[in-house]
Amino acid sequence: MSRFWSEAVRGLTPYVPGEQPRITGLIKLNTNECPYAPSLRVLQAVRDAAGEDLRLYPDPECTQLRQAIAEHHGLQPEQVFVGNGSDEVLAHAFMALFRQQHPLLLPDISYSFYPVYARLFGIATRSVALDEQLRLRVQDLLDAGPNGGIVFANPNAPTGIALPLHDIESLLQGNRDSAVLVDEAYVDFGAQSAVELIQRHPQLLVVRTLSKAHALAGLRVGYALGQAELIEGLVRVKDSFNSYPLDRLALAGATAAMQDDTWLAHTRSRIIASREQLSESLRELGFDVLPSAANFVFARHPARDAAELAAALREQRILVRHFRKPERISAFLRISIGTEAQCEALVSALRGILQVPASALGE
Ligand SMILES: *Cc1c(COP(=O)(O)O)cnc(C)c1O
């Protein structure tokens, strides 16, 4: 704390990202990165972009990338906003859309960056509790009173549970006077996208990232989709903050990624298959595993303390994520889907920790 800090900075509670330790041989299942290398076409495009043009500023409008994203989704480039990771896109969207008279609604258990942005931008929030099964109920959002916007992730994080498209549509029909932001960071792993609702609902903003399904967390590219007028609001914020959030390497790599549907389909199905296999193995070990539509599972053991399990796994160089807060989810571990071999290593480590003899599992 320095006496030169502004009042606003004193009041901040920053987001705490999952650990990124520099330990070799670690099985890293704590931050939902993709365990596989990105598409070779992406790597080649980044290499090709690493030339003398780096002396020049990149295209501030990210024209080619927005074109590629628009084509991928069957939209127009004016309906696409891009940013330095979807975290930045979210920040600009909060500033552009949610600084309203009424509070922003958000689920009590969701991506923990949302309340951080709300605080940064002075946005009041009202949290809406997930039900007993940790499901989001649209009616509860509609019953929560006047709002200045609604934000949630679909599938939700860290539960992995997806909201069906017809629920999102009912929400939009019942909430026409404030913006609704659907964060689809994990949608490629099995949820229904709300993108098709954009043409009929001017209040809908869908946010995506290349960090998870495209294996590009290190490139920092995210985007938002919505009607052109909504998107223009985000552009105004961006051009009041940083005109060049995406560098030339990121633009080239992300454009190539959006054009490689084959790689995406292949990787996605591989991760989904591992997720189903891992969920089954965890259930055999006695875990309750929530039905996941994401690249992670959220699981609790009825007889074991989650923090202790996470610490025991860490001793075996396996990292998973445990959230102490909110209390309601402190018994759970969030485990990212690794390669087949990493998932097997996790299951075998857990078997040892739980001291379940392999023979008792029918092997
Ligand atoms: C990972 C994640 C993001 C952030 O993605 P970046 O594009 O890497 O900034 C946004 N929302 C949710 C729900 C996430 O899990």
Side-chain angles (χ1 to χ4, degrees):
M1 178 86 77
S2 156
R3 69 191 170 90
F4 302 110
W5 286 6
S6 69
E7 195 61 38
V9 166
R10 286 167 208 263
L12 293 179
T13 319
Y15 174 75
V16 184
E19 283 186 86
Q20 297 289 355
R22 290 188 199 90
I23 305 172
T24 48
L26 205 64
I27 297 185
K28 203 173 164 300
L29 307 177
N30 67 330
T31 53
N32 300 340
E33 287 141 328
C34 179
Y36 302 110
S39 151
L40 291 175
R41 288 171 61 177
V42 171
L43 300 181
Q44 191 57 50
V46 171
R47 269 187 227 109
D48 291 347
E52 62 175 86
D53 280 354
L54 284 178
R55 72 192 173 79
L56 302 170
Y57 280 108
D59 171 13
E61 283 160 17
C62 307
T63 314
Q64 270 192 323
L65 174 57
R66 285 173 44 239
Q67 182 74 45
I69 294 170
E71 267 166 36
H72 180 85
H73 290 289
L75 296 170
Q76 297 303 311
E78 304 73 48
Q79 298 174 305
V80 180
F81 176 84
V82 298
N84 190 266
S86 64
D87 285 339
E88 186 186 75
V89 175
L90 289 167
H92 290 345
F94 271 57
M95 178 71 164
L97 309 174
F98 295 150
R99 288 185 66 169
Q100 307 285 355
Q101 192 189 342
H102 295 300
L104 171 68
L105 300 183
L106 73 184
D108 64 338
I109 294 160
S110 194
Y111 186 37
S112 48
F113 224 135
Y114 305 148
V116 174
Y117 289 133
R119 210 157 166 164
L120 175 64
F121 298 124
I123 298 166
T125 59
R126 180 174 301 152
S127 87
V128 174
L130 301 182
D131 73 8
E132 251 94 276
Q133 277 123 49
L134 300 182
R135 290 179 184 276
L136 178 60
R137 292 163 53 131
V138 159
Q139 197 55 46
D140 293 344
L141 289 169
L142 292 173
D143 292 342
N147 70 73
I150 300 176
V151 62
F152 59 91
N154 188 41
N156 197 10
T159 64
I161 296 175
L163 194 65
L165 193 60
H166 60 83
D167 277 353
I168 297 179
E169 187 145 35
S170 340
L171 176 66
L172 292 165
Q173 279 160 356
N175 188 89
R176 296 185 183 276
D177 297 325
S178 68
V180 175
L181 192 163
V182 184
D183 181 349
E184 294 192 340
Y186 301 104
V187 77
D188 286 315
F189 302 105
Q192 293 170 287
S193 174
V195 170
E196 65 180 75
L197 303 177
I198 286 172
Q199 307 296 17
R200 276 179 288 132
H201 299 279
Q203 77 277 41
L204 173 61
L205 189 76
V206 175
V207 174
R208 296 272 192 119
T209 175
L210 272 66
S211 296
K212 314 282 164 56
H214 294 269
L216 292 171
L219 202 64
R220 309 306 303 131
V221 183
Y223 59 94
L225 307 168
Q227 291 193 9
E229 284 182 3
L230 206 58
I231 294 300
E232 212 186 305
L234 275 68
V235 174
R236 288 172 72 100
V237 176
K238 171 229 165 209
D239 286 334
S240 307
F241 180 76
N242 179 2
S243 317
Y244 305 105
L246 270 73
D247 60 64
R248 286 176 174 270
L249 307 186
L251 287 172
T255 305
M258 294 314 298
Q259 291 164 341
D260 198 347
D261 291 340
T262 315
W263 182 94
L264 181 63
H266 175 73
T267 308
R268 166 209 284 160
S269 56
R270 214 168 159 187
I271 288 173
I272 292 173
S274 297
R275 177 186 73 210
E276 296 311 301
Q277 176 64 56
L278 177 63
S279 302
E280 197 183 310
S281 304
L282 291 172
R283 287 187 187 114
E284 284 170 7
L285 288 173
F287 283 88
D288 298 325
V289 185
L290 299 189
S292 172
N295 67 342
F296 57 84
V297 293
F298 205 47
R300 86 178 140 192
H301 196 283
R304 301 295 283 261
D305 181 80
E308 279 172 27
L309 286 179
L313 284 170
R314 201 173 200 289
E315 272 175 31
Q316 302 192 39
R317 294 174 167 252
I318 300 177
L319 286 193
V320 300
R321 189 109 193 242
H322 173 248
F323 299 91
R324 242 164 254 290
K325 281 191 211 166
E327 182 73 35
R328 267 179 100 188
I329 58 165
S330 63
F332 284 85
L333 294 176
R334 192 197 66 188
I335 306 168
S336 311
I337 306 304
T339 61
E340 286 94 357
Q342 291 176 325
C343 292
E344 278 165 26
L346 169 79
V347 170
S348 108
L350 280 171
R351 187 175 295 142
I353 293 164
L354 297 167
Q355 290 177 321
V356 179
S359 60
L361 296 162
E363 282 177 22

